[in-house]
């Protein structure tokens, strides 16, 4: 992976694509760097967050969320896991098929 952290916007919020091999403390530093660089864009924003590219423990997820909210003016409403995102997308696809 050329970048340790990639921030992607989705209809469900923000998705962080994370390097699988970088030690967690370094990854956390990179995440904070990305969010502080983009703080003007995200200023006072509220959104859900999800993660991909790396298995994270619940504790690691909460460390990331806490660090972002402490270091920036971003409010993270909830953490979505990939199963919840896929279920939401399937539900939306199914609803639009029924309406067609």
């Amino acid at each position: 992976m050329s970048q340790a952290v990639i921030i992607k916007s989705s209809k469900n919020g923000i998705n962080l694509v994370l390097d699988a091999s970088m030690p967690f403390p370094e990854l956390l530093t990179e995440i904070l760097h990305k969010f502080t660089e983009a703080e003007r864009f995200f200023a006072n924003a509220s959104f859900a967050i999800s993660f991909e590219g790396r298995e994270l423990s619940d504790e690691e997820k909460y460390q990331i969320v806490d660090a972002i909210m402490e270091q920036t003016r971003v409010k993270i409403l909830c953490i979505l896991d990939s199963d919840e995102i896929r279920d939401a997308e399937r539900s939306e696809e199914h609803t639009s098929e029924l309406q067609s």
Side-chain angles (χ1 to χ4, degrees), residues 30-63:
E30 288 296 317
I31 292 168
L32 290 176
H33 179 72
K34 285 282 191 181
F35 273 89
T36 54
E37 275 186 341
E39 186 161 9
R40 255 195 201 137
F41 179 75
F42 289 126
N44 300 314
S46 299
F47 49 75
I49 194 166
S50 60
F51 306 98
E52 72 176 77
R54 176 187 184 114
E55 287 293 320
L56 296 168
S57 68
D58 287 342
E59 182 180 335
E60 289 171 331
K61 290 176 186 177
Y62 292 123
Q63 284 179 2

Side-chain angles (χ1 to χ4, degrees), residues 9-13 89 92:
S9 177
S10 74
K11 60 185 168 193
N12 297 310
E89 289 171 351
E92 289 173 10

Side-chain angles (χ1 to χ4, degrees), residues 21-99:
S21 61
M22 180 177 278
F24 182 75
E26 291 175 32
L27 185 64
L28 184 57
T29 299
E30 288 296 317
I31 292 168
L32 290 176
H33 179 72
K34 285 282 191 181
F35 273 89
T36 54
E37 275 186 341
E39 186 161 9
R40 255 195 201 137
F41 179 75
F42 289 126
N44 300 314
S46 299
F47 49 75
I49 194 166
S50 60
F51 306 98
E52 72 176 77
R54 176 187 184 114
E55 287 293 320
L56 296 168
S57 68
D58 287 342
E59 182 180 335
E60 289 171 331
K61 290 176 186 177
Y62 292 123
Q63 284 179 2
I64 292 169
V65 168
D66 289 344
I68 291 169
M69 291 198 310
E70 288 172 6
Q71 300 293 319
T72 68
R73 294 177 294 172
V74 168
K75 182 174 182 183
I76 298 175
L77 303 172
C78 64
I79 299 171
L80 299 175
D81 67 24
S82 55
D83 292 337
E84 289 173 319
I85 295 168
R86 274 194 300 273
D87 290 347
E89 289 171 351
R90 284 186 191 131
S91 176
E92 289 173 10
E93 288 172 5
H94 181 69
T95 301
S96 65
E97 288 173 3
L98 291 175
Q99 293 174 348

